[in-house]
Amino acid sequence: MADKSYPMTAEGKKKLEDELEELKTKKRPEVIDRIKVARGFGDLSENSEYEAAKDEQSTLENRIVTIQTMLRYAEIIDSKAVAENEVSLGKKVTFEEDGDEETYEIVGAAEADAFNGKISNESPIAQGLIGRKVGDKVTISTPGGEMKIKITKVEG
């Protein structure tokens, strides 16, 4: 596992730290309480409340381990260390495709949220944009086909 690093912004790391704290201090005790209550319902072999609470506990503990691993191997990317007009992790990039303009922030996979305009640095679009500059014309291969774009703005 030490071979894998998790590139992320400082903001993304902070969000993961906050989520971990919430899971450990609030969610974990809630699930433990649900397990205790469900145990009181009798025969555990036919107790659906107990099984549901145990499943929830398993999911919760897996998420805690995942976040801890991501934080342990986090690689904070400083977008200011890259040229101002160059696309990199932590920057917002605006591009035109067929006259339509789109803007995305390129973030680490742990922070990706396409519905809020944050795409993973591992996505085909981000891979095609990283290292490029304002004015560059780029052809990006995506699962939906080729995109021909022109980078119009880089912020960050």
Side-chain angles (χ1 to χ4, degrees):
M1 197 73 199
D3 294 344
K4 174 87 169 140
S5 69
Y6 294 88
M8 61 183 73
T9 62
E11 176 188 341
K13 182 178 181 191
K14 173 75 172 113
K15 284 182 181 179
L16 281 177
E17 290 168 339
D18 292 346
E19 180 183 353
L20 182 61
E21 183 68 18
E22 166 98 4
L23 293 175
K24 286 177 152 184
T25 61
K26 293 182 182 170
K27 300 287 184 186
R28 185 184 267 164
E30 289 172 7
V31 171
I32 290 170
D33 286 344
R34 278 198 286 284
I35 291 171
K36 285 179 186 175
V37 169
R39 276 191 185 139
F41 294 149
D43 183 8
L44 296 182
S45 66
E46 297 179 14
N47 188 330
S48 63
E49 289 87 359
Y50 178 77
E51 287 301 319
K54 290 297 283 180
D55 287 346
E56 185 178 353
Q57 181 184 39
S58 176
T59 301
L60 174 82
E61 294 301 328
N62 285 335
R63 180 66 182 154
I64 287 172
V65 169
T66 298
I67 292 172
Q68 287 173 329
T69 301
M70 291 164 73
L71 290 172
R72 184 176 303 119
Y73 299 108
E75 178 186 346
I76 305 303
I77 304 299
D78 180 12
S79 62
K80 291 173 180 50
V82 178
E84 195 173 297
N85 69 340
E86 184 178 334
V87 180
S88 72
L89 193 125
K91 291 190 177 184
K92 281 187 180 178
V93 60
T94 303
F95 58 85
E96 288 180 359
E97 178 189 22
D98 297 329
D100 293 330
E101 198 170 75
E102 295 184 45
T103 301
Y104 294 104
E105 182 178 358
I106 300 176
V107 296
E111 303 170 71
D113 182 358
F115 293 113
N116 289 311
K118 295 183 175 193
I119 60 171
S120 167
N121 62 312
E122 297 173 2
S123 71
I125 294 173
Q127 287 291 307
L129 293 172
I130 290 175
R132 305 298 182 130
K133 295 183 169 44
V134 172
D136 284 357
K137 293 179 180 177
V138 184
T139 301
I140 301 171
S141 295
T142 68
E146 283 194 344
M147 297 174 62
K148 294 181 187 296
I149 63 163
K150 180 181 179 187
I151 300 171
T152 58
K153 186 172 165 185
V154 176
E155 304 171 88

